[in-house]
């Protein structure tokens, strides 16, 4: 029955995994620090059934959530599908019912109007729940200990919006989960919302705004006072959806914008600062405020950086222009002109998947990390998308401008890292970086721990899986105390 497309999106390095299960006491090379108590969660797209269209986008796969639980020097692995409404409907039917990425026109009649989300983009524990997130749909709740799915939530009716972010920020001072939603009035619309959820799970702030053009509003930054957005020249239209072409196209004639609004307002103060000729941004490292200035630090390319969202006019991308360099984009709220003040390169090693010590979200900070492309190094693995290019881990000391990298060797590629503080009150950057290193020759993944401020010495230990996980998107570390609190509150609920 299962005939998956025989093309680079589903074969070789991108072959599907679809494995749910548990492996206790994973094999370890080196020593896992005994004091490390918590879990690393991450997610990858992994279509449950052969897609309706052979050219289906990587971003359309059902979310498969992995949990690596660390305690007493031992690591246990657990992996489950995020059982979205889509997953359940298709599971019952035994086949795909939903069509192309972000295109409801391609769905079967039987599922028209159902939530199309795949929960495949990010996972993070907040208010005792695991939030499994996709930017086109509400927040899916899972149990952070068992990975059982509870279902979509509207936060007791207080967050009645059709789409939730996949790139929240946790305010280190309030513990609030800061997020947004876009395309809220239906496909291709400009309506957006900003919201905050307190540590108990209550909605405490809500604001609305509009983007200058419909776009993929993928990530953002917070500062103490502001929410800071980046709008790239990605957009779409009904003709594109009717013809079932890739949902997003890139039009470099459109401006790039930075949007700044107060976090404590209703959104009516939102200001959009234009940058022409446009550049392209996506993921955010951090945002900071300095007097009347607001900085957004993010990898920036000169043109679209996602090859499966093509140029609107059909011309091929210039590969050199697609490379992303860590940059600081600055706007000045005191200026009367709605233009970006400056874009300055702050990192030399090209890369993506920016991370920080999350205790410094929105604050002046010195340390950032990305997985990076060292084009000078050889690669032994098979050709194809995501193959062998993200081969290094780079630490950027933004205070000194120094950078240090570690190359993972010719057989492997990195997935997104996350930072783990050594202790709750450790200095900024004092701790570990955790990242999957996928070996494309042996087809095993190692979860590696690095000394965050000295990545050059390579992993201090490798936690070895007997399989290779599929290329994923995002994930986060959660301390053990939060997982235990989640267990206790669940026991109370069911007592
Ligand atoms: C991104 C990823 C998505 C998506 C939209 O990295 C944008 C960008 C995994 O899904 O739906
Ligand atoms: Fe992302």
């Amino acid at each position: 029955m299962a005939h998956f497309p025989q093309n680079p999106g589903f074969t070789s390095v991108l072959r599907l995994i679809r494995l749910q299960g548990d492996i206790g006491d994973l094999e370890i090379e080196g020593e896992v620090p005994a004091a490390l108590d918590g879990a690393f969660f991450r997610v990858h797209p992994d279509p449950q059934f052969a897609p309706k269209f052979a050219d289906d986008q990587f971003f359309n796969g059902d979310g498969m959530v992995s949990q690596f639980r660390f305690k007493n020097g031992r690591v246990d692995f657990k992996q489950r599908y995020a059982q979205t409404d889509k997953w359940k409907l298709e599971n019952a039917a035994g086949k795909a019912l939903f069509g192309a990425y972000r295109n409801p026109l391609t769905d079967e009649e039987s599922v028209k109007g159902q939530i199309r989300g795949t929960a495949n983009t990010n996972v993070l524990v907040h208010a005792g729940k695991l939030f499994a997130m996709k930017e086109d749909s509400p927040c899916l709740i899972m149990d952070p200990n068992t990975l059982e799915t509870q279902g979509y939530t509207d936060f007791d009716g207080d967050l009645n919006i059709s789409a939730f972010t996949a790139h929240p920020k946790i305010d280190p001072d309030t513990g609030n989960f800061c997020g947004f939603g876009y395309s809220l009035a239906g496909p291709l619309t400009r309506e957006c919302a900003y919201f905050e959820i307190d540590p108990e799970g209550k909605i405490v702030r809500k604001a609305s705004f509009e983007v200058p053009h419909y776009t993929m509003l993928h990530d953002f930054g917070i500062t103490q006072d502001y929410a800071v957005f980046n709008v790239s020249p990605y957009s779409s239209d009904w003709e594109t959806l009717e013809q079932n072409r890739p949902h997003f196209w890139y039009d470099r004639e459109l401006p790039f914008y930075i949007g700044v609004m107060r976090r404590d307002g209703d959104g009516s103060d939102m200001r959009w600062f234009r940058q022409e000729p446009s550049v392209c941004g996506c993921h955010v490292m951090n945002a900071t405020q300095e007097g009347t200035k607001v900085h957004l630090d993010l990898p920036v390319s000169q043109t679209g950086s996602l090859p499966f969202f093509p140029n609107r006019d059909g011309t091929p991308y210039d590969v050199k222009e697609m490379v992303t360099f860590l940059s600081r984009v600055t706007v000045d709220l005191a200026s009367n002109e709605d233009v970006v003040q400056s874009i300055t390169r702050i990192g030399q090693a090209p890369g993506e998947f920016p991370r920080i010590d999350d205790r410094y979200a929105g604050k002046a900070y010195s340390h950032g990390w990305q997985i990076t492309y060292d084009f000078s190094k050889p690669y032994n693995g098979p050709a194809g998308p995501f193959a062998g290019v993200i081969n290094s881990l780079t630490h950027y000391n933004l205070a000194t401008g120094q950078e240090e990298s570690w190359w993972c060797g010719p057989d492997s590629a990195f997935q997104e890292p996350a930072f783990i503080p050594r202790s709750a009150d450790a200095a900024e950057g004092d701790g570990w970086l955790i990242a999957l290193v996928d070996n494309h020759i042996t087809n095993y993944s190692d979860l590696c721990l690095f000394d965050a401020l000295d990545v050059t010495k390579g992993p201090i230990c490798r936690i070895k899986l007997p399989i290779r996980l599929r290329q994923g998107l995002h994930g986060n570390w959660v301390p053990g105390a939060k997982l235990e609190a989640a267990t206790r509150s669940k026991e109370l609920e069911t007592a």
Side-chain angles (χ1 to χ4, degrees), residues 45 58-59 101-102 120-121 134-135 167 182 216 218 248 282-283 306 309 473-474:
F58 174 72
F59 285 176
Y101 174 74
R102 306 289 297 268
N120 71 5
T121 312
K134 175 74 173 181
E135 65 194 50
H167 279 286
Y182 75 93
M216 183 181 84
H218 185 62
F248 289 107
C282 182
H283 292 122
L306 300 168
F309 296 144
L473 279 309
H474 306 291

Side-chain angles (χ1 to χ4, degrees), residues 240-252:
T240 299
L241 302 194
E242 278 153 13
Q243 297 176 358
N244 193 14
R245 286 185 270 126
H247 178 98
F248 289 107
W249 40 250
Y250 191 88
D251 181 355
R252 64 190 312 160

